Amino acid sequence: MQRPSTEDLTSVEWRDTNWIERVGGFQNQQMVLDYFSMSPFWDRQCNNQILSMQTQYNDLRQPYEATVEALRKMTGIEFAVVHEQPPVWVIQKRYRRGPEENDVNPIATYYIMGANVYQSPTIYSVIANRLLTSLFHVNSAFKETQKYMDFHPAKGYSWKTSKSASTEKPKGQQGTLRARENQEFRHWMDRAIEASALRIAQNRFVPDQAVAVGTPEVSSLASVATVSPPL
């Protein structure tokens, strides 16, 4: 059976301090659910709402224990207080399959802290948010270390000294242009090395074959000479 879904309202905070002052606070679990039923987290199609509609014209409402017993005889969505430690109450939205206590599938969890009502985030959303935050800081660290790296076509990458790092900081478009020049120079240098290796292999296996002077490889190598390495 497909698990019923619920709307994500983790960014919503709701409270009604006037109602709490009028009734004198939460005196039992039924009053907690009554307060919660006025919030946007409440499902108007739940079994709790059906039982409330059946007894709304009675002078005496049934106690919370009787409501729990009546909910066990029904199937569908219900709300229940699963933990209480004033001023915190935890309410669970779940789907009841049968009369047993464990015949329920949790759908969402809410909690009341003082007078504020919140929806609790899922474990998946918490872990995903923590991973996203960690990756953001790791990416920021890599970007920060790139400021202290230097690249030379002959020497490769090296760390800048404290003196050079303080005097050779790229600024704005100048740093972007220098990075492009580095990338272009490395591209043509790789092309030139590949062309030279190909010509050496051809001369080794075909010694009597004349090597043309105006080949595309030589043109690529000549074009490298026009690209000066960045200062």
Side-chain angles (χ1 to χ4, degrees):
M1 181 178 58
Q2 186 178 2
R3 178 177 175 179
S5 59
T6 185
E7 185 179 0
D8 184 11
L9 298 176
T10 52
S11 60
V12 176
E13 175 187 294
W14 182 88
R15 65 176 176 269
D16 188 353
T17 55
N18 294 330
W19 187 91
I20 296 178
E21 293 177 356
R22 185 171 66 253
V23 300
F26 302 120
Q27 302 176 7
N28 50 56
Q29 294 182 350
Q30 184 60 50
M31 297 186 67
V32 173
L33 286 179
D34 291 341
Y35 180 72
F36 182 78
S37 64
M38 297 184 296
S39 69
F41 309 107
W42 185 257
D43 190 346
R44 303 300 174 184
Q45 305 298 327
C46 65
N47 294 336
N48 304 70
Q49 184 71 21
I50 296 175
L51 292 177
S52 178
M53 293 292 293
Q54 293 176 355
T55 59
Q56 65 177 340
Y57 299 108
N58 297 342
D59 295 335
L60 297 177
R61 296 186 58 183
Q62 58 184 2
Y64 179 74
E65 292 76 10
T67 302
V68 173
E69 293 297 330
L71 289 173
R72 289 184 179 180
K73 300 177 182 179
M74 307 172 66
T75 58
I77 297 176
E78 67 178 26
F79 290 90
V81 179
V82 296
H83 179 75
E84 58 175 330
Q85 187 176 354
V88 178
W89 289 266
V90 179
I91 301 173
Q92 188 179 73
K93 180 181 181 181
R94 54 196 186 183
Y95 185 87
R96 175 164 293 280
R97 307 185 312 270
E100 299 296 331
E101 183 178 358
N102 296 328
D103 289 343
V104 292
N105 292 333
I107 300 176
T109 303
Y110 309 88
Y111 61 96
I112 301 177
M113 182 177 296
N116 302 328
V117 184
Y118 307 92
Q119 179 179 355
S120 177
T122 61
I123 297 179
Y124 171 80
S125 61
V126 172
I127 296 177
N129 185 43
R130 295 295 185 270
L131 288 177
L132 184 61
T133 304
S134 302
L135 292 176
F136 171 77
H137 290 297
V138 170
N139 188 28
S140 301
F142 276 113
K143 290 182 179 179
E144 185 69 22
T145 55
Q146 288 179 354
K147 299 179 182 179
Y148 303 96
M149 289 191 303
D150 194 10
F151 175 78
H152 193 275
K155 299 179 181 179
Y157 287 97
S158 62
W159 293 106
K160 293 181 180 181
T161 60
S162 58
K163 182 177 180 180
S164 60
S166 59
T167 57
E168 299 180 2
K169 291 183 177 179
K171 296 181 179 180
Q173 298 181 354
Q174 182 179 359
T176 304
L177 181 61
R178 180 171 299 179
R180 292 180 179 176
E181 292 177 351
N182 281 338
Q183 186 176 5
E184 185 177 1
F185 181 79
R186 292 182 61 186
H187 169 72
W188 288 112
M189 181 62 70
D190 293 338
R191 292 283 301 275
I193 293 174
E194 292 176 0
S196 300
L198 180 60
R199 290 175 58 82
I200 292 173
Q202 291 176 350
N203 292 334
R204 179 178 300 175
F205 293 101
V206 190
D208 56 341
Q209 182 179 358
V211 180
V213 178
T215 58
E217 289 80 3
V218 177
S219 300
S220 299
L221 182 59
S223 63
V224 176
T226 61
V227 181
S228 59
L231 298 178

